[in-house]
Amino acid sequence: MKKIGLLLSILIATSAFCENKIALSGAGATFPQPFYNMAFQDYAKLKGVQVSYGGIGSGGGIQSLRDKVVDFGASDAYLSNEELANMPASVVHIPTCSGAVVIAFNLKGISQIKLNPSTLTKLFLGQITNWNNAELKKLNPTINFPNLEITVVHRSDGSGTTNMFTDYLCKVSPEWKTKLGSGKSVNWPTGIGAKGNPGVAGTIAQTKGSIGYIGSEYAFAEKISSALLQNNAGKYIKASITSVSAAAKGAIPADTRVMITNSSAVDAYPISGFTWMLLYKEQNYNNRSYNQALATTQLLYWMVSPTAQSLAGKVNYAPLPASAVAKAKAILRTVTYNGKKILK
Amino acid sequence: MNSDKVLKSVLFTASLLILLISGGMVYSLFRGSMLSFHHFGWNFLISSHWDPTQGKEQYGALPFIAGTIFTSVLALIMAIPMAFSTSLFVAEYFHKTRLASVVNTLVDLLAGIPSIIYGLWGFYILRPFIVEIGLNPQGYGIFTSSLILAIMIIPYATSLSNTTIMMVPNELKEAAYSLGATRLEVIWNVILPNARSGIMASYILAFGRALGETMAVTMLIGNANIIPTSLFSTGNTMASVIANQFGEAGGLQLSALIEIGLLLFLITTIVNAIGKFIIKKIV
């Protein structure tokens, strides 16, 4: 009996000890995972709070949050009104950084081309099929295009990158909007599919005359050269961390649920977008402790702080402009525990 | 309890567990595909429209069924001459020589190479080669995938054929030789009739293997959700569309993918059952 009593008291002591230490978990988009991993490592060093993140895809992240098995979810696409209504409680969006989609191509000896929205659409609709096309020549008078068939490369898996790219094409081309629409995967009229950014980048690198779209975080890290795109203001813009950040400078709604593709900002790269973390507005659910709720909101508050945002640039994500940070902070201040605001 | 009874119950539990696992798989595949079945019914099998765009989702499995059958049949057609010659070489012409054992080991080795390695080799070596010799401007598609599949299934097609060819009684062959038959005549009139069903069965099992192959095909077929129209057309297979789209799929799309999984399961089961049936007939 004595032994059992001792064992029990040890068990109770250890479980009490464990409860003191707060660990957070999140799941969702793979796109910001390198940034999140790095930020969470630093956060553990700074605040002693362990954060684990599973890059299981945006869909999985939203599902995990709905099932209340994570403290926060993460998604490359904001939840539609319908999806929000399907959640068991009110959910808020916190943008953490932005990324872009770049247009990569494989043409021997040519490292930079200019594209405008109409040619870009025609390329991916399969209406321009050869590199010696007159429209391409007109946009790039100095380049001597070869007589070479164009192979379009797109994603074969569902992806936030595709969502951002097709959202942009819908905005600039009514034809695209009626024929294909936008989403994480669409019914491509032409080309070959490859899995993930590495798959698309590898296929482009291996296929002469190919063109495709790649997530900026991968393209920047691998130093893949990309096309200059004409933005809404008529300027040809190279994709870079600065030009992607610039896209977020336009008007943002209070709940930050917006696609900033085809931004009207003068120096904006046109195919840019936010990625978000999602959490419940009322943090007392599933018997969560106040400390757990506090730690969650503090983590997200820290994610938009200058410290975390400066990390984003290091791993090839575009930091949020001040206007977006202010909006994110305002949203976090509305998060409550038992109806009382958590952050002062 | 004596040791015999213990062993018996252990074996019984182990086999029951396998039964339960496969039963559970079929059950969960059925359950998962209900949503898609309610939406599309039998039309799922004959519709070639696969559109995962949100708001206008529409799923039909025909492009993938066609792609799977095309690539596997083509792979089998390409594999049979190579597999058959190898079997004859190993099991008859050079039977029990060192050369035969080297060839045999190498063929067995082919079976042990992970599928992704075949995929990478196909992507970086075979596909550029096909572009180089001018068969196809970009090299992706049915032909390239079938070629890589053919190489992958050769070991499955040869190993069983080897055994059955070796099992042909020596007396029969000697009798034929003593009657003045040439080697070719012995192969044609003695070995083939005796080993026919074993050889057939091994090809059917190899075919079953080609049906489910995923990674190498995904890397080479082009992943275009269309019914292939020619040898060099791009396409997609059932296994490869599941591998590609499962990660981010949800709702109706997920259910449609599971239904494709169920279809693949059924097709492979039937093909394997036919193979088993033919083997049984020879014993």
Side-chain angles (χ1 to χ4, degrees):
Chain A
M1 261 333 264
K2 247 187 181 173
K3 263 190 183 165
I4 293 173
L6 188 69
L7 204 70
L8 266 178
S9 56
I10 289 173
L11 269 176
I12 290 165
T14 40
S15 64
F17 179 73
C18 283
E19 254 169 37
N20 264 336
K21 213 170 162 189
I22 286 181
L24 298 174
S25 69
T30 46
F31 155 73
Q33 195 172 10
F35 168 46
Y36 289 174
N37 284 345
M38 195 165 152
F40 295 158
Q41 251 175 32
D42 280 29
Y43 194 68
K45 275 185 220 148
L46 281 169
K47 313 273 159 128
V49 176
Q50 293 291 336
V51 188
S52 58
Y53 182 75
I56 56 171
S58 298
I62 295 164
Q63 183 68 45
S64 304
L65 189 69
R66 185 184 300 136
D67 297 342
K68 298 181 176 172
V69 292
V70 288
D71 294 295
F72 60 90
S75 177
D76 294 337
Y78 61 80
L79 301 191
S80 63
N81 289 336
E82 188 187 311
E83 283 173 308
L84 277 178
N86 275 335
M87 297 301 272
S90 176
V91 166
V92 292
H93 291 66
I94 307 296
T96 53
C97 64
S98 44
V101 174
V102 308
I103 308 299
F105 53 90
N106 179 344
L107 282 173
K108 210 177 170 188
I110 300 171
S111 62
Q112 200 155 62
I113 58 170
K114 283 180 183 171
L115 293 173
N116 63 14
S118 114
T119 25
L120 185 68
T121 315
K122 283 180 186 161
L123 279 166
F124 281 87
L125 278 175
Q127 291 168 351
I128 297 179
T129 56
N130 196 304
W131 283 105
N132 65 11
N133 177 280
E135 269 185 64
L136 286 169
K137 277 184 181 163
K138 205 176 147 200
L139 282 177
N140 303 277
T142 54
I143 295 174
N144 189 15
F145 283 111
N147 175 11
L148 185 63
E149 201 179 307
I150 296 175
T151 305
V152 169
V153 185
H154 54 76
R155 291 284 288 264
S156 59
D157 50 335
S159 159
T161 309
T162 305
N163 185 46
M164 201 190 290
F165 184 56
T166 50
D167 179 82
Y168 170 73
L169 290 175
C170 277
K171 278 183 185 165
V172 296
S173 158
E175 188 184 0
W176 186 281
K177 197 170 179 181
T178 49
K179 273 191 180 164
L180 281 107
S182 67
K184 284 179 192 166
S185 43
V186 295
N187 190 15
W188 294 99
T190 180
I192 55 176
K195 195 166 159 48
N197 282 319
V200 173
T203 305
I204 293 173
Q206 286 292 314
T207 314
K208 279 179 200 146
S210 59
I211 187 165
Y213 61 94
I214 306 174
S216 62
E217 80 288 3
Y218 188 81
F220 292 163
E222 298 291 315
K223 303 204 166 39
I224 295 167
S225 63
S226 61
L228 303 187
L229 284 185
Q230 190 184 36
N231 70 7
N232 206 0
K235 275 175 79 174
Y236 284 92
I237 303 286
K238 187 179 160 65
S240 70
I241 287 174
T242 331
S243 64
V244 174
S245 266
K249 281 179 185 155
I252 302 167
D255 64 359
T256 76
R257 291 196 303 144
V258 65
M259 289 299 281
I260 50 171
T261 49
N262 203 22
S263 163
S264 50
V266 182
D267 296 316
Y269 180 73
I271 323 180
S272 307
F274 288 129
T275 185
W276 292 268
M277 281 186 176
L278 312 166
L279 76 165
Y280 285 110
K281 195 170 178 185
E282 169 55 51
Q283 285 285 303
N284 187 10
Y285 57 89
N286 266 14
N287 297 321
R288 290 172 97 230
S289 68
Y290 174 75
N291 285 341
Q292 189 84 8
L294 181 67
T296 310
T297 30
Q298 278 176 340
L299 169 75
L300 267 69
Y301 201 81
W302 181 79
M303 286 302 289
V304 296
S305 73
T307 330
Q309 288 294 311
S310 69
L311 285 176
K314 281 188 197 157
V315 274
N316 302 303
Y317 296 86
L320 299 173
S323 53
V325 170
K327 293 246 160 66
K329 285 185 171 171
I331 295 170
L332 278 169
R333 285 199 195 92
T334 66
V335 174
T336 56
Y337 188 85
N338 277 343
K340 277 175 75 179
K341 285 182 179 165
I342 297 175
L343 297 173
K344 297 285 137 47
Chain B
M1 233 192 329
N2 62 29
S3 59
D4 234 18
K5 269 189 181 158
V6 173
L7 183 67
K8 205 174 161 187
S9 59
V10 167
L11 292 181
F12 180 74
T13 332
S15 17
L16 193 71
L17 208 62
I18 289 175
L19 259 179
L20 275 179
I21 290 172
S22 14
M25 272 185 190
V26 176
Y27 172 71
S28 51
L29 281 176
F30 258 112
R31 236 185 57 159
S33 51
M34 277 330 272
L35 180 66
S36 155
F37 190 76
H38 279 305
H39 258 264
F40 307 114
W42 298 109
N43 216 18
F44 188 72
L45 299 178
I46 49 168
S47 160
S48 61
H49 196 73
W50 182 272
D51 189 348
T53 318
Q54 239 174 17
K56 48 179 186 179
E57 282 180 286
Q58 172 96 40
Y59 300 107
L62 193 61
F64 314 113
I65 299 175
T68 307
I69 306 278
F70 274 18
T71 47
S72 305
V73 169
L74 208 60
L76 193 64
I77 293 172
M78 292 196 239
I80 282 178
M82 288 194 270
F84 187 58
S85 339
T86 315
S87 296
L88 282 183
F89 183 93
V90 171
E92 177 59 27
Y93 273 76
F94 291 82
H95 187 40
K96 284 183 181 157
T97 60
R98 174 171 277 185
L99 187 62
S101 78
V102 169
V103 170
N104 208 11
T105 319
L106 284 179
V107 171
D108 283 346
L109 206 66
L110 282 181
I113 298 174
S115 152
I116 186 83
I117 307 286
Y118 280 104
L120 286 172
W121 181 79
F123 185 76
Y124 286 109
I125 313 286
L126 185 64
R127 191 191 55 79
F129 178 72
I130 283 172
V131 176
E132 199 67 32
I133 58 175
L135 281 176
N136 186 345
Q138 29 85 4
Y140 300 96
I142 299 291
F143 181 76
T144 319
S145 333
S146 305
L147 199 57
I148 207 91
L149 273 178
I151 303 171
M152 292 177 80
I153 62 173
I154 284 176
Y156 299 89
T158 48
S159 68
L160 188 63
S161 333
N162 285 356
T163 329
T164 43
I165 289 176
M166 281 188 246
M167 265 164 40
V168 175
N170 257 331
E171 293 81 0
L172 286 182
K173 288 191 257 176
E174 279 158 12
Y177 281 125
S178 70
L179 288 172
T182 61
R183 200 146 203 190
L184 193 66
E185 283 168 332
V186 171
I187 289 173
W188 207 247
N189 297 313
V190 178
I191 294 179
L192 269 188
N194 272 284
R196 196 175 46 206
S197 28
I199 294 173
M200 278 287 285
S202 71
Y203 294 163
I204 287 170
L205 292 181
F207 180 69
R209 166 92 201 141
L211 287 175
E213 183 43 55
T214 314
M215 274 325 290
V217 175
T218 301
M219 295 176 77
L220 292 170
I221 197 162
N223 300 309
N225 304 337
I226 48 168
I227 296 177
T229 47
S230 74
L231 262 186
F232 296 103
S233 153
T234 52
N236 212 342
T237 67
M238 298 164 89
S240 126
V241 72
I242 296 173
N244 270 307
Q245 304 196 345
F246 201 76
E248 282 278 342
L252 194 54
Q253 188 183 7
L254 186 65
S255 180
L257 288 173
I258 294 176
E259 193 172 349
I260 290 183
L262 180 67
L263 280 176
L264 187 59
F265 190 96
L266 291 178
I267 294 177
T268 324
T269 312
I270 293 169
V271 168
N272 275 311
I274 296 173
K276 290 268 160 64
F277 178 72
I278 295 177
I279 297 178
K280 255 198 190 140
K281 265 178 64 181
I282 56 163
V283 184

